[in-house]
Each structure stands twice: as C-alpha cells, then as structure tokens.
Amino acid sequence: MRIGIDLGGTKIEGIVLDGSRELARLRIDTPRDDYDATLAALVALITNLQQTAGAAATIGIGIPGTIATTGLVKNANSTWLIGRPLQHDLAARLGRNVRIANDANCFAMSEATDGAAIGADVVFGVIVGTGTGAGIIVRGQVLAGANGIAGEWGHNALPWPDDGERPGPPCYCGKSGCIETFLSGPGLTADHERRTGVQMLPREIASAADRGDRAAVATMERYEHRMAKALASVINVLDPDVIVLGGGMSNIDRLYGNIPRLWSQWVFAATGSAPDLRTRLVRARHGDASGVRGAAWLWEASEA
Ligand SMILES: [Zn+2]
C-alpha cells in the first residue's frame, strides 16, 4: 500500500494506492502562509489515509519546490515552506520516513509508471499551465539532479529565437525570454493580446483557431513553433523516448499532431538529412491526478 500526497498552493490532496488501484482520496485546503498549520494539516490528512492504508503504508509527497542538500525546502512558490525542514518535521511527527519530490517529478513518475509513458526508458514529463516545468524519469527512477533542478527547462531562454522573440517578455525569475514566458497559459494569452489587443484565455484562443479565426490561428502557429523549438533542444540533450504533456495547455488537441511535424527542423541532424525521430509526444493519462499518484510511486514495489 502506498500513500501519495500532493501539497499544492491552495489544496492538499491525498490518495491511497493498492498497486494501480485507488482506494481512497481526500482533499483539504492548504493553510496558506502558515508552516506549522501546513505541517499539522499534512499529519492529520496522512493519519486519516492510514486508516484505509494501514500504518505500514509508504508515504510520498509532491511539493512545489525541492529539498536542498541541506534538507531544507527551496524554490517553492508556496513561499512559507522555503527554508523549512519539511521532511524531517513530518518524519518526526509521523514516526516514519517520508519521501518528498518536486511536483513535476511526481507528475513524470506517475505517467512513466502506469500512465501515457508506461514502459518507456526515458521520459520527459512536462507541465504547461500557469508555469512551465518538467520532470525526468530514467528507467523508472526520478532523475532529481545534483542541484534538484533537473528538468527545469522553463527558465532556459527560448532557443533559435526569431527577431520578434528577442529579448522576449520579462520573467519573474529576473531574466527575459524564458521558455515559460512563451509557453505557459498566461504566456499564450499575453502573446495573443500583444498582436491583437484582445485578451483571451488559452482555451478560447484554441477554439477560435479551430473555427478558423485568422488571428487565433496565427497565435497557435507561433505557439507551436515555439514549443517545437523548446522541445527540440530537450531532444538534443536528453533524447527521450516519450514526452508527456500535462497541465492546462495539454488539453489543446492540435499540439500532438503539429509539434512533432515541426520539431525535426531543430533536432540535430547532418545537413540535408531529415531525422527520423522515434520520440513521441503524448497527452497525460491521469490528468490532475498525476501529482498524487506520482508521489505514491516514489517508493518502489519492493519497499511498499
Ligand atoms: Zn524565467
């Protein structure tokens, strides 16, 4: 039995998995801006799930950030967690070890274990929604990286930029032209507004494009070229078998056909040869549930 927890900025969700089967699911509000209350809420939620799972169940937690080598949380947009020994404090209160990983890594783990990338050796699991993050799974294991930031492609610069894409929009990280400023949902909305003066949600732009609206079609084509360039640079480094898309933008159907048709323009190949790429671009199977499921899968079968 495995317990998986997704600690989000507004909700904490928890599940009990028996193999791939979900036995229980609970959801509570996150006590924002209060570390001690967040800790107490996590302990209460896990204790509740243990009534279904039993006290021996493994516990995995996905957080919007990572645990630094110091054992303290870093890079969390839930800023009240930053600098706190979350893993240590939870283990002390629960009386058992817990594993904590970045939420994008949990997403990728879920899809690699029993989702859209099942059976693939190397998986790049992308979340494109309000932000742009990713996790890397190699043969069933999270590749966390020496600094805990493996997969953070959203804050690389958009590769092979056109003149109109330089220097690019300012990013909250302090740089300009980050991939996230183009590919996130707010990035797509802002790009459409810069060209048309009209503010629309990503799904409204996508459905206007489906109806043949010329400005929306042009916006979607710019978006697809940018995602193709950004993913081509990932293919050149990681060469994954499968790229899984999750988050709000993953619901746009046209991406799955158009982007793989475009990305070979930027994937390395000797001059004149068209690369015959095996990398597949697929939509997440578990949707919003990937976070909690992947957290549960942080423990291997031999340990659960
Ligand atoms: Zn940035």
Side-chain angles (χ1 to χ4, degrees):
M1 293 276 194
R2 295 178 173 86
I3 291 173
I5 306 287
D6 185 18
L7 172 55
T10 55
K11 296 276 184 216
I12 306 174
E13 192 160 24
I15 58 165
V16 175
L17 282 189
D18 179 6
S20 283
R21 202 158 57 94
E22 190 180 311
L23 296 186
R25 177 184 290 248
L26 295 171
R27 181 182 257 226
I28 56 174
D29 289 334
T30 305
R32 292 184 63 83
D33 303 316
D34 187 338
Y35 178 72
D36 290 329
T38 299
L39 206 55
L42 283 168
V43 170
L45 183 68
I46 291 166
T47 305
N48 201 331
L49 292 168
Q50 281 174 328
Q51 289 170 13
T52 303
T58 59
I59 303 164
I61 302 173
I63 64 167
T66 55
I67 304 288
T69 48
T70 55
L72 307 179
V73 175
K74 69 171 186 178
N75 294 348
N77 56 12
S78 299
T79 49
W80 63 96
L81 302 176
I82 292 175
R84 300 291 193 151
L86 180 64
Q87 191 161 13
H88 173 270
D89 287 348
L90 274 175
R93 278 174 176 70
L94 292 165
R96 57 180 296 123
N97 195 11
V98 301
R99 286 192 185 160
I100 299 182
N102 174 261
D103 49 10
N105 290 354
C106 290
F107 163 78
M109 189 68 173
S110 168
E111 293 298 328
T113 303
D114 66 350
I118 187 169
D121 264 3
V122 178
V123 178
F124 192 67
V126 175
I127 301 180
V128 261
T130 52
T132 302
I136 298 169
I137 306 298
V138 179
R139 297 190 183 99
Q141 301 278 333
V142 172
L143 183 75
N147 304 290
I149 56 170
E152 292 291 356
W153 70 316
H155 298 280
N156 282 351
L158 183 74
W160 303 283
D162 300 331
D163 287 344
E165 293 166 342
R166 274 186 295 252
C171 183
Y172 74 88
C173 75
K175 300 191 170 61
S176 288
C178 290
I179 285 169
E180 175 168 311
T181 67
F182 292 104
L183 296 190
S184 67
L188 175 62
T189 293
D191 182 62
H192 189 71
E193 189 175 5
R194 279 192 295 272
R195 295 292 182 112
T196 64
V198 181
Q199 196 176 67
M200 293 167 74
L201 292 170
R203 64 180 150 77
E204 295 169 337
I205 297 169
S207 55
D210 288 345
R211 292 192 305 270
D213 177 284
R214 287 179 66 175
V217 168
T219 298
M220 287 310 304
E221 287 177 350
R222 286 194 302 281
Y223 184 86
E224 286 159 358
H225 273 84
R226 289 163 181 166
M227 189 179 275
K229 289 192 283 194
L231 289 177
S233 74
V234 170
I235 294 172
N236 283 344
V237 175
L238 187 65
D239 203 0
D241 298 274
V242 180
I243 297 172
V244 188
L245 291 189
M249 306 301 284
S250 70
N251 295 317
I252 299 175
D253 289 332
R254 53 181 284 157
L255 303 182
Y256 300 93
N258 291 345
I259 289 170
R261 270 198 292 275
L262 293 167
W263 66 22
S264 55
Q265 296 174 60
W266 296 283
V267 172
F268 172 69
T271 312
S273 65
D276 180 19
L277 299 178
R278 293 174 157 195
T279 303
R280 292 183 292 129
L281 180 69
V282 298
R283 184 195 309 238
R285 178 181 295 172
H286 296 299
D288 292 342
S290 275
V292 275
R293 295 181 69 92
W297 289 118
L298 293 175
W299 295 79
E300 288 179 44
S302 57
E303 302 168 311

